[in-house]
Amino acid sequence: MLASGSGTNLQALLEVPSIREQIVVVVADRPAAALDRAAGVGVPTETVTYSEYPSREAFSAQLADVLEAHGAKGVVLAGFMRVVSPVFVDRFRDRILNIHPSLLPSFPGRRAVEDALEAGVRVTGVTVHFVDEMVDHGPIVAQVPVTVDREDTPATLHRRIQEIEHSLYPEVVEDFVSGRLWVEEGRVVRL
Ligand code: GRF
């Protein structure tokens, strides 16, 4: 599991026993509240500090090493704010899940909620997808729309998006860790 921030999605995952027992480690790229949430329930944590590595490749290789050293077979990104390099994607090919606060392929990137508001869309949402070499890209597993209200600010819209995230991600991750969700020739299979 990789996280950078407050870790509310991580918290939602930790609250499902069948998911929690499959989490071998939570790794962050900086000191993050997400690590405290994991440590609080006895899940091992590690920090791989981005600025301590000479390149994105070196950082990504170390991340993969740490995950493998803990026996991780798959990777769940829960608010991880670094772009991992192809080296990393290759080592966990078709075994990395991400959650993104828009209906991809609209509004990739860090400012997904702000960008949706600025574009004036009436509907945005949440996407869970497998990760490939491109940013916020890869086979889509699940999407849920969220209606944009006229009076929404980034904060109010993100709050409603996160409510959806906290129910959607555990559903998807439960299928992933129990072998009911995988990628075959670039297409998602979900039993
Ligand atoms: C979520 O909105 C997720 O979609 C995005 O980063 C945010 C993480 O929030 N990738 P949290 O750390 O899980 O609270």
Side-chain angles (χ1 to χ4, degrees):
M1 182 86 68
L2 299 182
S4 301
S6 66
T8 62
N9 279 285
L10 170 66
Q11 182 69 44
L13 297 174
L14 288 170
E15 282 167 11
V16 181
S18 59
I19 296 175
R20 184 176 137 185
E21 66 196 20
Q22 297 283 337
I23 302 176
V24 291
V25 66
V26 176
V27 187
D29 60 313
R30 63 182 87 157
L35 294 182
D36 301 332
R37 293 180 193 265
V41 293
V43 171
T45 64
E46 301 264 12
T47 305
V48 178
T49 306
Y50 186 78
S51 56
E52 288 175 3
Y53 293 85
S55 64
R56 186 184 304 283
E57 283 64 38
F59 166 75
S60 301
Q62 178 64 17
L63 267 187
D65 286 348
V66 168
L67 288 166
E68 281 179 357
H70 282 270
K73 302 270 183 283
V75 186
V76 174
L77 308 186
F80 189 63
M81 301 310 275
R82 296 285 174 191
V83 175
V84 288
S85 77
V87 176
F88 185 91
V89 176
D90 213 41
R91 281 173 67 177
F92 291 97
R93 171 75 52 196
D94 294 337
R95 289 178 291 138
I96 310 170
L97 277 176
N98 183 40
I99 190 161
H100 183 78
S102 75
L103 295 176
L104 292 172
S106 291
F107 313 119
R110 285 162 172 256
R111 300 186 72 256
V113 177
E114 290 85 348
D115 288 349
L117 274 178
E118 281 162 24
V121 294
R122 305 299 355 137
V123 178
T124 183
V126 178
T127 301
V128 178
H129 65 100
F130 283 97
V131 171
D132 68 12
E133 280 80 359
M134 288 160 69
V135 174
D136 296 326
H137 191 270
I140 290 174
V141 179
Q143 292 187 301
V144 175
V146 173
T147 303
V148 181
D149 296 336
R150 302 261 167 217
E151 56 280 2
D152 263 329
T153 63
T156 60
L157 181 55
H158 198 208
R159 202 170 305 134
R160 289 207 310 290
I161 285 174
Q162 285 224 299
E163 275 173 31
I164 301 290
E165 291 184 341
H166 298 161
S167 60
L168 181 67
Y169 217 15
E171 278 175 28
V172 172
V173 172
E174 199 166 17
D175 280 356
F176 182 55
V177 298
S178 61
R180 296 194 299 269
L181 168 66
W182 67 91
V183 177
E184 219 168 77
E185 290 169 7
R187 302 192 75 84
V188 171
V189 183
R190 193 172 178 193
L191 302 179

